[in-house]
Amino acid sequence: MAKPSFFITTPIYYVNARPHLGTAYSTVLCDVEARYRRATGYDVKFLTGMDEHGEKVAEAAAEHGMTPQEWCDSQAPFFEGLWRQLEISNDDFIRTTEQRQHDAVQHLWERMRESGYLYKGSYDGWYCVPEETYFTETQVTKSDEEHHSEGRHLCPDCGRPLERVREESYFFRLSAFQDRLLKLYDEHPGFVQPDFRMNEVRSFVEGGLQDLSVSRTGFDWGIPVPFDERHVTYVWFDALLNYMTAVGYGVGTPDAKAELAYRWPAQCHVVGKDIIRFHCVIWPAMLMAIGEELPEHVFAHGFLMVRNEETGQGEKMSKSRGNAIAPQDVIDLLGVEGYRYYFMTDVVPGEDGAISFSRMEQVYNADLANSWGNLVSRALNMSAKYFDGKTPVLADGWADEQSPLREIAQGIEGRYAKHMDRLEYVQAKDVVMELVHAANHYVEDSAPWAVAKDPARAGELAQIIASLLESIRICAHLLAPFMPTTSAEVLRRMGAGEEADTTDLASVCEWGRLAGGVEVTKGDALFPRIAPAKSGM
Ligand code: ME8
C-alpha cells in the first residue's frame, strides 16, 4: 500500500539577515515532526527555503553594494550551512527567485484574474518595509501617540518608521472572504493550532477585512505581473505560494499534476505567531479564490525571549539590547544534539519561551549528562563487564522476565505519539524521561554489582541488564526525532543499528525485541557534563 503523504513546511525566511536562533527554532521544530512522521510510516516532504523578493531584501542588497540577486546568492550558503549543521532533514529548499516560483506565481495571477477577485486600483496608505505589511491610516493613528514621533508614522506592530505609498496597484478582494473564513474556523477548529491562537484569528476576521494590495509599481524587485509588466508581485502574495510551487503548482505536466494531487493540501504549516494573519486569513482566502484546497493545519509557535537573570523576565531578543544569542554560541556550549534537545523540550512550542545559558546548562546536565547519557553508559558497561562484551541471553526468553521497567514501557509509544502528533514536544519528552528516570532508579534498587557476586543469581542479573538495555533501546527510538545522531549511536553500540531508520516506530518500541548475545560497544560519554563556569552566564 502506498504510504500516506505528510507535507510539512517552515516559513521561508527573508534574506535580509543571517539565520538566527528564532529562524532555527522554527526549522528544528519542523525537523522533529518530519523525523517522527518518517518513523511512523509517512512519506514525508519537508520544505524550507528563502523569501528573496521585496523591498527589505532589495535594501539589504543595496547596503552591501550588490544586486538583489547577488545578495540572495551570497546569503543562501548561510541558511543551507546552518541547516546542515543542525541536522535539518529537509527534502527541498525553495528560493523565490527560482524559475519554478516565477512560473507558479504568474500562473496564480492568471487564475486570480479569471476568478473575479482581482481589480486594479491605487493604493494610498502606509507600508512597513521591515514587516513588508500595509497599514491603513486608521491603523497607524489608532496605534497611539507614542508611535507618532518627530512627525513620523510608526508601525503599530514593530514600532519602526512607515513609508508612505501612493501607487497604482492590483487588489485582491479579501473583503469578500469574511464569511467563508469564519465558516472555515467553525467547521475546522483545528485549522489553527494551538487552540488559543484561533481566537485571535477569528476576532481579527470578525472585525472586518480590507482588500489587499497585491502588486507594487514603486520598485521592481519582484515577480512581474504577466498581464501588466509595470507591476511586480507584492512579496507576501509571492511568498505564500511557495508551499504549492514546491509540489508542482502551475506546471501542468501529468507528473506535476500527480505530485500536486498527492502532496496538496499540506498537513502542517509551521509559522511564528508574527505571521499568523498571513497564513490563517490571507493564504486560505487566496486558495479559496482560485479553487484550491486549504492546508490542514497552521501551527503557530511563540517567540524565543531571553531571560533577564536579574529580573527573571523574558525580553525580546535584539542586537540593540545586546542580548541576542548566535546559534553557534549555543552549539559551542551544548553540541548540536544538546541544542536541539534544549529548544525542543524546554520551550513550550505554542508559547513565548524565555531562554538563558544557565537554563540550557541545567537542562543539559540534568537530562542528558546525568540521566540519559549516564544510563546508557552504566548499562553498556555492565553488559560488557558481566556478559563478556555482549547483551545478556535470557534463559526463559522475555516471557517470564519481571521488570518494573516493562510496565512503564508498555504502551509508551502510544502515549508519546499522542503528543508528537500535536507537536507537544515537552509532554512527549516527559513520557520518555519517565522511563529513563525509572531505569536509573532501577539500577540503584536492583544493585546489579551485588547480584553479580553470587553465581546462583546469574539469571536475575541477566534480567536486570536486559531490561535496562531494552528500556534504552526504546528510549533511543523515541528520542531520535530530537537527537538523531545520538540515538543512532546508542542503537549501534547495542548492536541494534539497523533499527535506526525504522518506519514502524510502534513495532520497534515493543518490549522484548532486544537480541541476546549481540556484541556491545562501551564508547565515550555521550554527553560530558558542562562545568558551570563554561556558560559564562
Ligand atoms: O516573516 N522566536 O520571514 P522572517 C521564534 N519571509 N521564532 C522566530 C523568532 C523568535 N524570536 N524570530 C523569527 C518572514 N522567528 C516571511 C515568511 S512564509 C510564506 C514568509 C521565526 O525571516 C518565526 O517562524 O521574518 C517567524 O514567523 C519567522 O522566523 C519570520 O521569519
Side-chain angles (χ1 to χ4, degrees), residues 11-14 20 22-23 25-26 51 56 236 239-240 242-243 271-275 279 301-304 317:
I12 49 170
Y13 306 110
Y14 289 127
H20 49 79
T23 43
Y25 177 74
S26 312
D51 194 353
K56 177 156 67 163
W236 270 102
L240 286 163
N242 92 86
Y243 303 130
V271 301
K273 64 174 187 179
D274 54 329
I275 54 177
H279 285 82
H301 65 69
F303 261 45
L304 295 180
M317 211 185 318

PDB file of all heavy atoms in Angstrom, residues 11-14 20 22-23 25-26 51 56 236 239-240 242-243 271-275 279 301-304 317, ligand 1:
ATOM      1  N   PRO A  11       8.290  28.586   7.609  1.00  0.00           N
ATOM      2  CA  PRO A  11       8.192  29.828   6.834  1.00  0.00           C
ATOM      3  C   PRO A  11       9.421  29.888   5.928  1.00  0.00           C
ATOM      4  O   PRO A  11      10.448  29.267   6.238  1.00  0.00           O
ATOM      5  CB  PRO A  11       8.279  30.931   7.902  1.00  0.00           C
ATOM      6  CG  PRO A  11       8.040  30.278   9.219  1.00  0.00           C
ATOM      7  CD  PRO A  11       8.478  28.849   9.061  1.00  0.00           C
ATOM      8  N   ILE A  12       9.319  30.596   4.828  1.00  0.00           N
ATOM      9  CA  ILE A  12      10.559  30.831   4.072  1.00  0.00           C
ATOM     10  C   ILE A  12      11.104  32.163   4.591  1.00  0.00           C
ATOM     11  O   ILE A  12      10.380  33.139   4.719  1.00  0.00           O
ATOM     12  CB  ILE A  12      10.344  30.814   2.546  1.00  0.00           C
ATOM     13  CG1 ILE A  12       9.168  31.700   2.113  1.00  0.00           C
ATOM     14  CG2 ILE A  12      10.135  29.375   2.069  1.00  0.00           C
ATOM     15  CD1 ILE A  12       9.091  31.887   0.602  1.00  0.00           C
ATOM     16  N   TYR A  13      12.361  32.164   4.946  1.00  0.00           N
ATOM     17  CA  TYR A  13      12.924  33.291   5.690  1.00  0.00           C
ATOM     18  C   TYR A  13      13.450  34.379   4.771  1.00  0.00           C
ATOM     19  O   TYR A  13      14.049  34.099   3.727  1.00  0.00           O
ATOM     20  CB  TYR A  13      14.038  32.791   6.614  1.00  0.00           C
ATOM     21  CG  TYR A  13      13.561  31.664   7.502  1.00  0.00           C
ATOM     22  CD1 TYR A  13      14.019  30.360   7.324  1.00  0.00           C
ATOM     23  CD2 TYR A  13      12.596  31.900   8.479  1.00  0.00           C
ATOM     24  CE1 TYR A  13      13.544  29.321   8.115  1.00  0.00           C
ATOM     25  CE2 TYR A  13      12.116  30.870   9.275  1.00  0.00           C
ATOM     26  CZ  TYR A  13      12.590  29.583   9.084  1.00  0.00           C
ATOM     27  OH  TYR A  13      12.115  28.556   9.862  1.00  0.00           O
ATOM     28  N   TYR A  14      13.249  35.630   5.195  1.00  0.00           N
ATOM     29  CA  TYR A  14      13.819  36.753   4.450  1.00  0.00           C
ATOM     30  C   TYR A  14      15.329  36.675   4.510  1.00  0.00           C
ATOM     31  O   TYR A  14      15.900  36.329   5.555  1.00  0.00           O
ATOM     32  CB  TYR A  14      13.396  38.085   5.084  1.00  0.00           C
ATOM     33  CG  TYR A  14      11.947  38.427   4.878  1.00  0.00           C
ATOM     34  CD1 TYR A  14      11.138  38.736   5.964  1.00  0.00           C
ATOM     35  CD2 TYR A  14      11.388  38.463   3.605  1.00  0.00           C
ATOM     36  CE1 TYR A  14       9.809  39.071   5.786  1.00  0.00           C
ATOM     37  CE2 TYR A  14      10.057  38.793   3.421  1.00  0.00           C
ATOM     38  CZ  TYR A  14       9.263  39.089   4.512  1.00  0.00           C
ATOM     39  OH  TYR A  14       7.959  39.419   4.345  1.00  0.00           O
ATOM     40  N   HIS A  20      19.062  33.056  12.459  1.00  0.00           N
ATOM     41  CA  HIS A  20      19.345  33.283  13.883  1.00  0.00           C
ATOM     42  C   HIS A  20      18.610  32.245  14.723  1.00  0.00           C
ATOM     43  O   HIS A  20      17.971  31.335  14.184  1.00  0.00           O
ATOM     44  CB  HIS A  20      18.964  34.716  14.273  1.00  0.00           C
ATOM     45  CG  HIS A  20      17.583  35.113  13.828  1.00  0.00           C
ATOM     46  ND1 HIS A  20      16.460  34.718  14.502  1.00  0.00           N
ATOM     47  CD2 HIS A  20      17.153  35.829  12.761  1.00  0.00           C
ATOM     48  CE1 HIS A  20      15.390  35.180  13.880  1.00  0.00           C
ATOM     49  NE2 HIS A  20      15.788  35.854  12.808  1.00  0.00           N
ATOM     50  N   GLY A  22      15.862  32.322  16.253  1.00  0.00           N
ATOM     51  CA  GLY A  22      14.419  32.251  16.001  1.00  0.00           C
ATOM     52  C   GLY A  22      14.106  31.454  14.747  1.00  0.00           C
ATOM     53  O   GLY A  22      13.252  30.554  14.766  1.00  0.00           O
ATOM     54  N   THR A  23      14.796  31.759  13.667  1.00  0.00           N
ATOM     55  CA  THR A  23      14.533  31.017  12.429  1.00  0.00           C
ATOM     56  C   THR A  23      14.959  29.560  12.596  1.00  0.00           C
ATOM     57  O   THR A  23      14.295  28.643  12.124  1.00  0.00           O
ATOM     58  CB  THR A  23      15.252  31.674  11.224  1.00  0.00           C
ATOM     59  OG1 THR A  23      16.567  32.043  11.611  1.00  0.00           O
ATOM     60  CG2 THR A  23      14.547  32.907  10.767  1.00  0.00           C
ATOM     61  N   TYR A  25      14.811  27.950  15.324  1.00  0.00           N
ATOM     62  CA  TYR A  25      13.811  27.329  16.193  1.00  0.00           C
ATOM     63  C   TYR A  25      12.671  26.727  15.359  1.00  0.00           C
ATOM     64  O   TYR A  25      12.314  25.563  15.522  1.00  0.00           O
ATOM     65  CB  TYR A  25      13.271  28.376  17.178  1.00  0.00           C
ATOM     66  CG  TYR A  25      12.187  27.852  18.073  1.00  0.00           C
ATOM     67  CD1 TYR A  25      12.491  26.988  19.114  1.00  0.00           C
ATOM     68  CD2 TYR A  25      10.858  28.192  17.858  1.00  0.00           C
ATOM     69  CE1 TYR A  25      11.497  26.484  19.934  1.00  0.00           C
ATOM     70  CE2 TYR A  25       9.854  27.698  18.667  1.00  0.00           C
ATOM     71  CZ  TYR A  25      10.182  26.844  19.703  1.00  0.00           C
ATOM     72  OH  TYR A  25       9.191  26.335  20.500  1.00  0.00           O
ATOM     73  N   SER A  26      12.104  27.526  14.444  1.00  0.00           N
ATOM     74  CA  SER A  26      11.005  27.021  13.602  1.00  0.00           C
ATOM     75  C   SER A  26      11.477  25.835  12.769  1.00  0.00           C
ATOM     76  O   SER A  26      10.729  24.881  12.547  1.00  0.00           O
ATOM     77  CB  SER A  26      10.531  28.080  12.594  1.00  0.00           C
ATOM     78  OG  SER A  26      10.320  29.294  13.216  1.00  0.00           O
ATOM     79  N   ASP A  51      12.901  33.597   1.299  1.00  0.00           N
ATOM     80  CA  ASP A  51      11.990  34.584   0.724  1.00  0.00           C
ATOM     81  C   ASP A  51      12.876  35.720   0.219  1.00  0.00           C
ATOM     82  O   ASP A  51      13.437  36.478   1.013  1.00  0.00           O
ATOM     83  CB  ASP A  51      11.060  35.054   1.860  1.00  0.00           C
ATOM     84  CG  ASP A  51       9.864  35.824   1.374  1.00  0.00           C
ATOM     85  OD1 ASP A  51       9.796  36.128   0.161  1.00  0.00           O
ATOM     86  OD2 ASP A  51       8.994  36.128   2.208  1.00  0.00           O
ATOM     87  N   LYS A  56      12.615  44.930   1.519  1.00  0.00           N
ATOM     88  CA  LYS A  56      13.582  44.734   2.593  1.00  0.00           C
ATOM     89  C   LYS A  56      14.853  44.074   2.065  1.00  0.00           C
ATOM     90  O   LYS A  56      15.966  44.483   2.400  1.00  0.00           O
ATOM     91  CB  LYS A  56      12.923  43.860   3.664  1.00  0.00           C
ATOM     92  CG  LYS A  56      13.821  43.522   4.798  1.00  0.00           C
ATOM     93  CD  LYS A  56      13.087  43.185   6.062  1.00  0.00           C
ATOM     94  CE  LYS A  56      12.285  41.929   6.063  1.00  0.00           C
ATOM     95  NZ  LYS A  56      11.954  41.515   7.437  1.00  0.00           N
ATOM     96  N   TRP A 236       4.384  39.115  -0.177  1.00  0.00           N
ATOM     97  CA  TRP A 236       3.648  38.051   0.532  1.00  0.00           C
ATOM     98  C   TRP A 236       2.781  37.220  -0.414  1.00  0.00           C
ATOM     99  O   TRP A 236       2.564  36.030  -0.193  1.00  0.00           O
ATOM    100  CB  TRP A 236       2.780  38.632   1.654  1.00  0.00           C
ATOM    101  CG  TRP A 236       3.524  38.711   2.952  1.00  0.00           C
ATOM    102  CD1 TRP A 236       4.089  39.821   3.510  1.00  0.00           C
ATOM    103  CD2 TRP A 236       3.807  37.630   3.854  1.00  0.00           C
ATOM    104  NE1 TRP A 236       4.702  39.499   4.692  1.00  0.00           N
ATOM    105  CE2 TRP A 236       4.531  38.170   4.931  1.00  0.00           C
ATOM    106  CE3 TRP A 236       3.511  36.269   3.848  1.00  0.00           C
ATOM    107  CZ2 TRP A 236       4.969  37.381   5.999  1.00  0.00           C
ATOM    108  CZ3 TRP A 236       3.941  35.488   4.908  1.00  0.00           C
ATOM    109  CH2 TRP A 236       4.662  36.050   5.966  1.00  0.00           C
ATOM    110  N   ALA A 239       5.356  34.966  -1.722  1.00  0.00           N
ATOM    111  CA  ALA A 239       5.944  34.038  -0.737  1.00  0.00           C
ATOM    112  C   ALA A 239       4.986  32.910  -0.341  1.00  0.00           C
ATOM    113  O   ALA A 239       5.394  31.747  -0.265  1.00  0.00           O
ATOM    114  CB  ALA A 239       6.361  34.811   0.508  1.00  0.00           C
ATOM    115  N   LEU A 240       3.725  33.249  -0.081  1.00  0.00           N
ATOM    116  CA  LEU A 240       2.801  32.203   0.396  1.00  0.00           C
ATOM    117  C   LEU A 240       2.659  31.076  -0.615  1.00  0.00           C
ATOM    118  O   LEU A 240       2.496  29.909  -0.257  1.00  0.00           O
ATOM    119  CB  LEU A 240       1.433  32.822   0.714  1.00  0.00           C
ATOM    120  CG  LEU A 240       1.407  33.657   1.996  1.00  0.00           C
ATOM    121  CD1 LEU A 240       0.175  34.575   2.024  1.00  0.00           C
ATOM    122  CD2 LEU A 240       1.426  32.775   3.237  1.00  0.00           C
ATOM    123  N   ASN A 242       4.812  29.709  -2.298  1.00  0.00           N
ATOM    124  CA  ASN A 242       5.958  28.782  -2.349  1.00  0.00           C
ATOM    125  C   ASN A 242       5.567  27.364  -1.945  1.00  0.00           C
ATOM    126  O   ASN A 242       6.098  26.393  -2.463  1.00  0.00           O
ATOM    127  CB  ASN A 242       7.101  29.302  -1.455  1.00  0.00           C
ATOM    128  CG  ASN A 242       7.056  28.748  -0.031  1.00  0.00           C
ATOM    129  OD1 ASN A 242       7.569  27.671   0.237  1.00  0.00           O
ATOM    130  ND2 ASN A 242       6.411  29.468   0.870  1.00  0.00           N
ATOM    131  N   TYR A 243       4.618  27.287  -0.996  1.00  0.00           N
ATOM    132  CA  TYR A 243       4.238  25.972  -0.485  1.00  0.00           C
ATOM    133  C   TYR A 243       3.650  25.087  -1.592  1.00  0.00           C
ATOM    134  O   TYR A 243       3.818  23.871  -1.578  1.00  0.00           O
ATOM    135  CB  TYR A 243       3.203  26.120   0.640  1.00  0.00           C
ATOM    136  CG  TYR A 243       3.649  26.982   1.800  1.00  0.00           C
ATOM    137  CD1 TYR A 243       2.849  28.022   2.286  1.00  0.00           C
ATOM    138  CD2 TYR A 243       4.871  26.753   2.436  1.00  0.00           C
ATOM    139  CE1 TYR A 243       3.246  28.796   3.368  1.00  0.00           C
ATOM    140  CE2 TYR A 243       5.272  27.532   3.514  1.00  0.00           C
ATOM    141  CZ  TYR A 243       4.453  28.559   3.977  1.00  0.00           C
ATOM    142  OH  TYR A 243       4.844  29.324   5.040  1.00  0.00           O
ATOM    143  N   VAL A 271       4.596  28.109  11.613  1.00  0.00           N
ATOM    144  CA  VAL A 271       4.947  29.538  11.494  1.00  0.00           C
ATOM    145  C   VAL A 271       5.116  30.131  12.890  1.00  0.00           C
ATOM    146  O   VAL A 271       4.642  29.563  13.866  1.00  0.00           O
ATOM    147  CB  VAL A 271       3.852  30.336  10.742  1.00  0.00           C
ATOM    148  CG1 VAL A 271       3.625  29.789   9.354  1.00  0.00           C
ATOM    149  CG2 VAL A 271       2.534  30.365  11.520  1.00  0.00           C
ATOM    150  N   GLY A 272       5.751  31.288  12.952  1.00  0.00           N
ATOM    151  CA  GLY A 272       5.806  32.030  14.212  1.00  0.00           C
ATOM    152  C   GLY A 272       4.524  32.831  14.374  1.00  0.00           C
ATOM    153  O   GLY A 272       3.816  33.098  13.397  1.00  0.00           O
ATOM    154  N   LYS A 273       4.237  33.240  15.603  1.00  0.00           N
ATOM    155  CA  LYS A 273       2.978  33.943  15.866  1.00  0.00           C
ATOM    156  C   LYS A 273       2.895  35.288  15.124  1.00  0.00           C
ATOM    157  O   LYS A 273       1.819  35.835  14.940  1.00  0.00           O
ATOM    158  CB  LYS A 273       2.795  34.155  17.369  1.00  0.00           C
ATOM    159  CG  LYS A 273       3.854  35.048  17.984  1.00  0.00           C
ATOM    160  CD  LYS A 273       3.562  35.346  19.438  1.00  0.00           C
ATOM    161  CE  LYS A 273       4.560  36.385  19.941  1.00  0.00           C
ATOM    162  NZ  LYS A 273       4.349  36.771  21.319  1.00  0.00           N
ATOM    163  N   ASP A 274       4.037  35.823  14.692  1.00  0.00           N
ATOM    164  CA  ASP A 274       4.057  37.113  13.986  1.00  0.00           C
ATOM    165  C   ASP A 274       3.415  37.039  12.607  1.00  0.00           C
ATOM    166  O   ASP A 274       3.038  38.070  12.056  1.00  0.00           O
ATOM    167  CB  ASP A 274       5.512  37.613  13.845  1.00  0.00           C
ATOM    168  CG  ASP A 274       6.438  36.587  13.191  1.00  0.00           C
ATOM    169  OD1 ASP A 274       6.201  35.371  13.355  1.00  0.00           O
ATOM    170  OD2 ASP A 274       7.391  37.005  12.515  1.00  0.00           O
ATOM    171  N   ILE A 275       3.311  35.847  12.034  1.00  0.00           N
ATOM    172  CA  ILE A 275       2.805  35.789  10.662  1.00  0.00           C
ATOM    173  C   ILE A 275       1.536  34.933  10.559  1.00  0.00           C
ATOM    174  O   ILE A 275       1.239  34.369   9.511  1.00  0.00           O
ATOM    175  CB  ILE A 275       3.909  35.340   9.668  1.00  0.00           C
ATOM    176  CG1 ILE A 275       4.561  34.011  10.095  1.00  0.00           C
ATOM    177  CG2 ILE A 275       4.977  36.411   9.551  1.00  0.00           C
ATOM    178  CD1 ILE A 275       5.608  33.502   9.089  1.00  0.00           C
ATOM    179  N   HIS A 279      -0.999  33.560   7.204  1.00  0.00           N
ATOM    180  CA  HIS A 279      -1.237  32.128   6.965  1.00  0.00           C
ATOM    181  C   HIS A 279      -2.655  31.672   7.261  1.00  0.00           C
ATOM    182  O   HIS A 279      -3.097  30.672   6.699  1.00  0.00           O
ATOM    183  CB  HIS A 279      -0.242  31.293   7.778  1.00  0.00           C
ATOM    184  CG  HIS A 279       1.132  31.316   7.189  1.00  0.00           C
ATOM    185  ND1 HIS A 279       2.013  32.334   7.412  1.00  0.00           N
ATOM    186  CD2 HIS A 279       1.749  30.460   6.334  1.00  0.00           C
ATOM    187  CE1 HIS A 279       3.128  32.110   6.735  1.00  0.00           C
ATOM    188  NE2 HIS A 279       2.992  30.980   6.067  1.00  0.00           N
ATOM    189  N   HIS A 301       3.868  28.928  16.560  1.00  0.00           N
ATOM    190  CA  HIS A 301       4.626  28.867  17.815  1.00  0.00           C
ATOM    191  C   HIS A 301       4.904  30.273  18.323  1.00  0.00           C
ATOM    192  O   HIS A 301       4.761  31.260  17.611  1.00  0.00           O
ATOM    193  CB  HIS A 301       5.913  28.055  17.641  1.00  0.00           C
ATOM    194  CG  HIS A 301       6.902  28.672  16.703  1.00  0.00           C
ATOM    195  ND1 HIS A 301       7.591  29.820  16.981  1.00  0.00           N
ATOM    196  CD2 HIS A 301       7.312  28.282  15.473  1.00  0.00           C
ATOM    197  CE1 HIS A 301       8.382  30.103  15.983  1.00  0.00           C
ATOM    198  NE2 HIS A 301       8.231  29.199  15.042  1.00  0.00           N
ATOM    199  N   GLY A 302       5.309  30.325  19.583  1.00  0.00           N
ATOM    200  CA  GLY A 302       5.597  31.613  20.205  1.00  0.00           C
ATOM    201  C   GLY A 302       6.995  32.094  19.857  1.00  0.00           C
ATOM    202  O   GLY A 302       7.670  31.522  18.996  1.00  0.00           O
ATOM    203  N   PHE A 303       7.412  33.144  20.524  1.00  0.00           N
ATOM    204  CA  PHE A 303       8.727  33.715  20.256  1.00  0.00           C
ATOM    205  C   PHE A 303       9.718  33.359  21.353  1.00  0.00           C
ATOM    206  O   PHE A 303       9.356  33.253  22.517  1.00  0.00           O
ATOM    207  CB  PHE A 303       8.603  35.237  20.127  1.00  0.00           C
ATOM    208  CG  PHE A 303       8.561  35.654  18.693  1.00  0.00           C
ATOM    209  CD1 PHE A 303       7.758  34.972  17.794  1.00  0.00           C
ATOM    210  CD2 PHE A 303       9.349  36.697  18.235  1.00  0.00           C
ATOM    211  CE1 PHE A 303       7.746  35.320  16.445  1.00  0.00           C
ATOM    212  CE2 PHE A 303       9.335  37.053  16.894  1.00  0.00           C
ATOM    213  CZ  PHE A 303       8.544  36.374  15.999  1.00  0.00           C
ATOM    214  N   LEU A 304      10.945  33.186  20.952  1.00  0.00           N
ATOM    215  CA  LEU A 304      12.009  32.978  21.927  1.00  0.00           C
ATOM    216  C   LEU A 304      12.352  34.326  22.538  1.00  0.00           C
ATOM    217  O   LEU A 304      12.560  35.312  21.822  1.00  0.00           O
ATOM    218  CB  LEU A 304      13.267  32.430  21.252  1.00  0.00           C
ATOM    219  CG  LEU A 304      13.182  31.052  20.621  1.00  0.00           C
ATOM    220  CD1 LEU A 304      14.537  30.691  20.006  1.00  0.00           C
ATOM    221  CD2 LEU A 304      12.781  30.006  21.651  1.00  0.00           C
ATOM    222  N   MET A 317      14.586  39.271  22.070  1.00  0.00           N
ATOM    223  CA  MET A 317      15.999  39.207  21.711  1.00  0.00           C
ATOM    224  C   MET A 317      16.286  40.267  20.654  1.00  0.00           C
ATOM    225  O   MET A 317      15.588  40.350  19.658  1.00  0.00           O
ATOM    226  CB  MET A 317      16.243  37.834  21.089  1.00  0.00           C
ATOM    227  CG  MET A 317      17.605  37.283  21.313  1.00  0.00           C
ATOM    228  SD  MET A 317      17.830  35.737  20.426  1.00  0.00           S
ATOM    229  CE  MET A 317      16.336  34.876  20.673  1.00  0.00           C
TER     230      MET A 317
HETATM  231  O1  ME8 B   1       8.254  36.510   8.017  1.00  0.00           O
HETATM  232  N1  ME8 B   1      11.428  33.236  18.128  1.00  0.00           N
HETATM  233  O2  ME8 B   1      10.318  35.807   7.280  1.00  0.00           O
HETATM  234  P1  ME8 B   1      11.248  36.121   8.537  1.00  0.00           P
HETATM  235  C1  ME8 B   1      10.902  32.244  17.406  1.00  0.00           C
HETATM  236  N2  ME8 B   1       9.503  35.765   4.828  1.00  0.00           N
HETATM  237  N3  ME8 B   1      10.788  32.279  16.068  1.00  0.00           N
HETATM  238  C2  ME8 B   1      11.234  33.361  15.430  1.00  0.00           C
HETATM  239  C3  ME8 B   1      11.813  34.448  16.117  1.00  0.00           C
HETATM  240  C4  ME8 B   1      11.902  34.351  17.551  1.00  0.00           C
HETATM  241  N4  ME8 B   1      12.454  35.305  18.323  1.00  0.00           N
HETATM  242  N5  ME8 B   1      12.169  35.378  15.212  1.00  0.00           N
HETATM  243  C5  ME8 B   1      11.821  34.866  13.985  1.00  0.00           C
HETATM  244  C6  ME8 B   1       9.011  36.105   7.146  1.00  0.00           C
HETATM  245  N6  ME8 B   1      11.267  33.651  14.121  1.00  0.00           N
HETATM  246  C7  ME8 B   1       8.465  35.766   5.780  1.00  0.00           C
HETATM  247  C8  ME8 B   1       7.761  34.444   5.852  1.00  0.00           C
HETATM  248  S1  ME8 B   1       6.366  32.452   4.737  1.00  0.00           S
HETATM  249  C9  ME8 B   1       5.462  32.267   3.353  1.00  0.00           C
HETATM  250  C10 ME8 B   1       7.114  34.010   4.564  1.00  0.00           C
HETATM  251  C11 ME8 B   1      10.790  32.758  13.048  1.00  0.00           C
HETATM  252  O3  ME8 B   1      12.643  35.916   8.078  1.00  0.00           O
HETATM  253  C12 ME8 B   1       9.279  32.559  13.117  1.00  0.00           C
HETATM  254  O4  ME8 B   1       8.942  31.364  12.467  1.00  0.00           O
HETATM  255  O5  ME8 B   1      10.902  37.407   9.141  1.00  0.00           O
HETATM  256  C13 ME8 B   1       8.786  33.706  12.292  1.00  0.00           C
HETATM  257  O6  ME8 B   1       7.457  33.505  11.853  1.00  0.00           O
HETATM  258  C14 ME8 B   1       9.782  33.695  11.160  1.00  0.00           C
HETATM  259  O7  ME8 B   1      11.031  33.357  11.805  1.00  0.00           O
HETATM  260  C15 ME8 B   1       9.868  35.009  10.442  1.00  0.00           C
HETATM  261  O8  ME8 B   1      10.918  34.925   9.534  1.00  0.00           O
END
